[in-house]
Each structure stands twice: as C-alpha cells, then as structure tokens.
Amino acid sequence: MPLDSEWAAGHEEVSQEILPDSLVLLPDREQPIFSTRAHVFQIDPNTKKNWVPTSKHAVTVSYFYDSTRNVYRIISLDGSKAIINSTITPNMTFTKTSQKFGQWADSRANTVYGLGFSSEHHLSKFAEKFQEFKEAARLAKEKSQEKMELTSTPSQESAGGDLQSPLTPESINGTDDERTPDVTQNSEPRAEPTQNALPFSHSSAISKHWEAELATLKGNNAKLTAALLESTANVKQWKQQLAAYQEEAERLHKRVTELECVSSQANAVHTHKSELNQTIQELEETLKEKEEEIERLKQEIDNARELQEQRDSLTQKLQEVEIRNKDLEGQLSDLEQRLEKSQNEQEAFRNNLKTLLEILDGKIFELTELRDNLAKLLECS
C-alpha cells in the first residue's frame, strides 16, 4: 500500500473510532463474520467496579471485518442504538471471569465491556474468535508497517545518498545552485553542440528525476507532519488514560486484597451453592409433579364437563318425562272417575234389573196360578 493510502486509511480509522456509540457506520465492505447472543454490560464510569447493564435482554453481538482496511470490530445494536462499537487491537485481551461471563477493556472507548452468555460453550466460542481476530489484526498491522517501511525506505536512501542531512526547507526545495542551471557552463557547449549534446541531455534527465523525487518527499513530509501533529494531540489524552488506568490498577489491587481476605468463605459459598442446586433440583421435580397433576386435573375437569353435559341432558329429559307423567296421571284420574261413574251406573242398572226380575217372577207366578185355576175350571165344567 502506498504511503498516502496508508495515511488515508489511518485517518479513516481514527475518524470512525471517535464516532459516538449512537452512530455506527457499516459500509458495504464491512461484513459480519460471526454472531452470537449475550447480555451486554459496561463498567460504571463513576465507581469503576460495578457493572451497568446496557441491554434489557439478550442482543446480537457480531464480529465485523473490513476487507479494505483489514480492521476487525465488535458491534452490538439494541434497536437503533449502538451499545458496543469496539475495534480489536493486538494489545486487547478477552478474560473469562466465570463460566458464562467474559470481559475486555477498550482503551480507545475508555471503558470495559462485559458479556453474559447463556452457556459456557457460547462464551468459549466467542473467546476463540476474539483471539483469532486479535491475531489477524496483529498480522495485518505488521504487514501494514512493513509496507510503510518498504515505501519510505527507497526515498530515504535516495535522498540520503546525495543530501546526507535531515529534511529541511532548503533540502526539500533545493538551493539556488541546484534549482538554477549553470549558464556559464552551458554557454560554451552551445558553440559546439556536436561534442556536448549527450552530457547535457543526461544532466536534464537527472534534474527531472530529482525534481520528481523532491516533490514526492514534499508530499511525504506533509503527510508525516500531519500525522505527527495528530499523534501529538493524542498524547495528552493517552497520558490521562494512562493515569486513569494506573488508578484503576491500584483500585483493582486493593480489591484483590479484599477478595483474598474473603476467600476463606469460598467453601461455605460452595456448600451453599451445592445446597441451592439440590434445592433447585427438588423444586424442579416438584414442579414436574405439579405439572403432571395439573394435566390430570385438566383431564378430570374435561371429564366432569362431559358428565355435567350428560347430566343436564338427562335432567331435561327427566323434566319432559315428569311433564308427560303428569299428563298421564291426569288422564288416568279422569279415566278412574269415568270408570267409577260407569261402575255406579252398572250397579244401579243391576239393581233395577233385579227388581224388574223379581216383579216379573211374581207376575209369572200369578199367571201360572191363574192358568192352573183356569185349567181346573175347564175340567170341572
């Protein structure tokens, strides 16, 4: 890569790194190469020891690669807000602080990021990718530096062979003797062009070569000066960050001392953790039993609903039967009354008939006696 392209890429990287977290530019050349989901945290800037969650739930955390600038970035968005925008550098380190939590410090963002994963496997995979891309960033930086050295070395050697002095306005622009051809020397050869034409054309070519080389050196010097000014402007900020890191190191040292004092409670915590795990297992088993009981009760409720429906249907049919029974009872009562009335009428008819038969028998007896008397009378006469 030429020096001006390297300088432009460096400035592009600086301009992109100082963007606020709420604005992350993802050009077409920058593509995601690995993604996972995790809960995102940042160190409290006031206390420097407490974690502050930056997402309410697990979000996507991705590694992005810019093939043009050989830059790797870790980016995470919560909606439209960028909660992680960290460029991976060779001096970064990703640390696993527990089975599901890891962290790394970003000196350019002046913060520490923390990620909480759902499993140890996801944490290990993210850490492997971090180490892989960190090594790739280191190799890319070394190659870039080698290209810069190869680009600048020929110009410095050419300039050093004749100038043998640092870059100064006089050496870059040239002295009056270097810039102005020697008229007195060239005035005589013009009288004899056939003898000195070749030396003059060679001198003109060398002059053009050095003018082009000086123009290149001017451009390189301007670019290096601008880069030096920018680096000088960042020195103060780096010193402030270094002081803050020293204070943070002292605070962490004190914290480690406190943790060492508290380490005697680790066994009790481990025992308590085992008890909690056992209690959790028991609760999970109880929960499973309750869920099975709930399913059984649901089935019983469904059966009870079916029985209730059948009961309602039978009740309705029973009501219909009772209504019909009442109608039949009314009809039966009416028939009984009619039967009783008919029986009474028949009894009266029988009584009347019996009376008539008795009267008839008396009449017949009287008629028989009358016949007998008449027969006797006839015999006597």
Side-chain angles (χ1 to χ4, degrees):
M1 180 184 290
L3 186 59
D4 54 348
S5 301
E6 181 68 22
W7 179 83
H11 277 66
E12 182 179 358
E13 179 179 355
V14 172
S15 63
Q16 185 160 344
E17 288 169 358
I18 62 176
L19 289 173
D21 288 342
S22 61
L23 181 60
V24 179
L25 299 179
L26 298 177
D28 294 336
R29 64 171 181 254
E30 195 167 11
Q31 300 294 332
I33 53 179
F34 177 78
S35 298
T36 186
R37 292 185 67 81
H39 291 270
V40 180
F41 300 85
Q42 282 191 15
I43 200 73
D44 190 346
N46 297 324
T47 62
K48 295 293 184 180
K49 62 181 181 179
N50 296 326
W51 289 108
V52 178
T54 56
S55 62
K56 296 181 180 179
H57 49 79
V59 296
T60 302
V61 182
S62 301
Y63 287 99
F64 279 79
Y65 174 60
D66 187 345
S67 58
T68 303
R69 298 187 295 117
N70 286 329
V71 173
Y72 295 86
R73 285 201 297 167
I74 303 175
I75 295 176
S76 178
L77 301 178
D78 188 6
S80 60
K81 179 183 177 183
I83 55 179
I84 296 180
N85 181 16
S86 178
T87 301
I88 299 177
T89 59
N91 59 347
M92 283 185 176
T93 301
F94 184 83
T95 305
K96 298 179 182 179
T97 57
S98 68
Q99 293 182 349
K100 298 181 181 181
F101 192 86
Q103 65 184 45
W104 78 95
D106 190 341
S107 59
R108 299 182 180 181
N110 194 20
T111 188
V112 179
Y113 293 104
L115 296 179
F117 296 88
S118 59
S119 65
E120 185 177 1
H121 172 71
H122 291 87
L123 173 60
S124 300
K125 190 67 175 178
F126 187 88
E128 291 175 2
K129 292 296 181 180
F130 191 98
Q131 186 65 27
E132 176 184 347
F133 300 147
K134 170 186 171 181
E135 184 67 19
R138 183 185 65 80
L139 295 175
K141 184 176 180 180
E142 291 178 356
K143 290 181 180 179
S144 177
Q145 290 177 350
E146 291 176 359
K147 289 181 180 180
M148 289 180 63
E149 292 175 358
L150 292 174
T151 304
S152 58
T153 300
S155 299
Q156 292 176 357
E157 290 178 353
S158 300
D162 292 324
L163 299 177
Q164 297 294 333
S165 63
L167 293 177
T168 60
E170 290 80 3
S171 63
I172 295 176
N173 297 327
T175 60
D176 293 338
D177 293 339
E178 292 173 344
R179 292 195 305 268
T180 305
D182 192 352
V183 178
T184 59
Q185 293 177 358
N186 293 331
S187 59
E188 287 184 7
R190 290 181 184 274
E192 298 177 359
T194 57
Q195 297 178 359
N196 297 322
L198 182 60
F200 177 77
S201 61
H202 182 67
S203 176
S204 177
I206 293 175
S207 177
K208 290 181 180 180
H209 170 74
W210 283 115
E211 287 178 0
E213 190 68 26
L214 287 174
T216 303
L217 289 174
K218 287 180 183 179
N220 293 341
N221 188 31
K223 295 170 185 177
L224 292 172
T225 302
L228 180 61
L229 291 175
E230 183 180 0
S231 299
T232 304
N234 292 331
V235 166
K236 185 177 180 180
Q237 181 181 359
W238 293 342
K239 288 182 178 179
Q240 293 176 353
Q241 293 179 356
L242 179 60
Y245 292 151
Q246 289 176 349
E247 294 177 358
E248 180 68 13
E250 293 178 358
R251 186 192 64 78
L252 291 175
H253 182 69
K254 293 179 181 179
R255 180 61 178 169
V256 168
T257 304
E258 294 175 358
L259 292 175
E260 288 177 352
C261 295
V262 182
S263 61
S264 59
Q265 301 178 357
N267 294 330
V269 171
H270 181 71
T271 304
H272 183 62
K273 181 180 178 181
S274 300
E275 294 175 354
L276 287 176
N277 290 333
Q278 185 176 0
T279 304
I280 289 172
Q281 291 179 357
E282 294 176 355
L283 291 174
E284 288 178 351
E285 293 177 356
T286 305
L287 180 61
K288 186 177 181 180
E289 293 177 356
K290 295 295 183 183
E291 289 178 350
E292 293 177 354
E293 185 176 358
I294 288 172
E295 291 295 331
R296 182 176 59 79
L297 291 175
K298 286 181 178 179
Q299 292 179 357
E300 291 180 356
I301 289 172
D302 293 337
N303 295 332
R305 286 178 179 174
E306 293 179 357
L307 292 174
Q308 183 67 26
E309 292 176 355
Q310 294 178 1
R311 178 177 173 274
D312 293 340
S313 176
L314 292 175
T315 302
Q316 185 177 0
K317 290 180 179 180
L318 180 61
Q319 290 176 354
E320 293 177 356
V321 170
E322 288 178 351
I323 294 172
R324 186 177 178 183
N325 190 22
K326 288 181 180 180
D327 293 339
L328 292 174
E329 287 178 353
Q331 293 178 5
L332 180 60
S333 177
D334 186 28
L335 290 174
E336 287 178 351
Q337 292 177 359
R338 292 171 61 185
L339 179 60
E340 184 179 0
K341 183 178 178 182
S342 176
Q343 289 177 352
N344 292 332
E345 290 178 353
Q346 288 180 0
E347 186 67 25
F349 179 74
R350 286 177 182 177
N351 293 330
N352 293 331
L353 183 60
K354 186 176 181 180
T355 304
L356 290 174
L357 288 173
E358 291 176 353
I359 294 171
L360 183 61
D361 288 339
K363 296 296 183 181
I364 290 172
F365 182 75
E366 291 177 356
L367 288 174
T368 301
E369 288 180 351
L370 179 61
R371 176 179 175 278
D372 291 338
N373 291 327
L374 287 176
K376 290 177 178 181
L377 289 174
L378 287 174
E379 290 177 356
C380 290
S381 59

